[in-house]
Amino acid sequence: MNFFPVRIALALFLFPMVLPAAEPLNLPNPGFEEGTAGWRFKESAPMSSVTADAAHEGTSGLRVEDHDDAAVRVAADEPAISGMVPVVAGSRYTLTFWAKSSAPPPAAGVFVWFYSPDKKLTDEKNRPVSMVGAGDGKWRQQTLEFTVPEGVAYAALWVHSLGKAKGTLDFDEFEIRESGN
């Protein structure tokens, strides 16, 4: 009996399982273990802070406390924007992070902002977003898959509280990995 076809089928089945996962992109300070380094925060009337109380793992995490009734906010009002990481136009990526919320859903979004090769923010339409806010105070891992548009060379994360949502939201362990084309 010829077992060669069975061996080939088994090898093809198992081969994808042994491939190493893509290394995460070098997102600056993804777990806030270095305080606010690598992130920009609103300086007047800050909504966010790095604190041990917001840590999922490690010693620190990002806490966003929104007690404002404003229904509309602009980028300058927002709590946190990460540093940029290089990305490849047309490639697929997966963003993962941990979040918990005392605010009712949807309380916040983690948006992916795209930048041109000269590091200028690109068109604001159709930005990928992961919505956060179960309201029960339990940690949940969030996942967002996205494809980088043409003309884009960099990406950054924008933590954005939504509308009239009020409450406390914690974020930790951001990671972006290339997930294939």
Side-chain angles (χ1 to χ4, degrees):
M1 180 181 270
N2 185 356
F3 288 105
F4 184 71
V6 172
R7 288 182 184 158
I8 294 292
L10 188 58
L12 291 173
F13 175 74
L14 293 177
F15 182 70
M17 290 185 227
V18 297
L19 289 176
E23 289 294 315
L25 300 184
N26 194 18
L27 187 67
N29 194 17
F32 303 94
E33 301 308 315
E34 299 168 29
T36 60
W39 290 76
R40 292 186 321 234
F41 294 86
K42 181 181 176 187
E43 295 192 20
S44 63
M47 293 172 63
S48 59
S49 61
V50 174
T51 175
D53 293 336
H56 178 258
E57 282 194 12
T59 59
S60 298
L62 173 66
R63 172 156 289 171
V64 177
E65 295 184 90
D66 187 349
H67 304 292
D68 189 347
D69 286 326
V72 177
R73 294 184 181 86
V74 296
D77 292 336
E78 291 310 317
I81 300 171
S82 76
M84 289 184 248
V85 293
V87 292
V88 177
S91 293
R92 290 195 51 76
Y93 292 85
T94 302
L95 163 66
T96 57
F97 61 94
W98 287 88
K100 70 177 179 176
S101 167
S102 67
V110 175
F111 289 77
V112 179
W113 275 11
F114 295 120
Y115 296 84
S116 65
D118 60 352
K119 298 184 177 180
K120 301 249 191 271
L121 187 62
T122 62
D123 187 0
E124 296 184 24
K125 296 178 187 163
N126 301 317
R127 288 190 178 141
V129 60
S130 179
M131 303 305 285
V132 176
D136 61 5
K138 294 181 182 176
W139 283 106
R140 287 183 171 74
Q141 188 172 38
Q142 306 282 124
T143 301
L144 174 65
E145 293 195 12
F146 61 93
T147 300
V148 177
E150 291 304 316
V152 167
Y154 299 93
L157 304 179
W158 179 46
V159 180
H160 174 77
S161 59
L162 301 173
K164 292 188 176 190
K166 289 183 181 181
T168 300
L169 298 106
D170 294 331
F171 300 87
D172 203 4
E173 301 170 56
F174 287 95
E175 183 177 274
I176 302 173
R177 289 181 186 264
E178 189 169 2
S179 54
N181 291 343

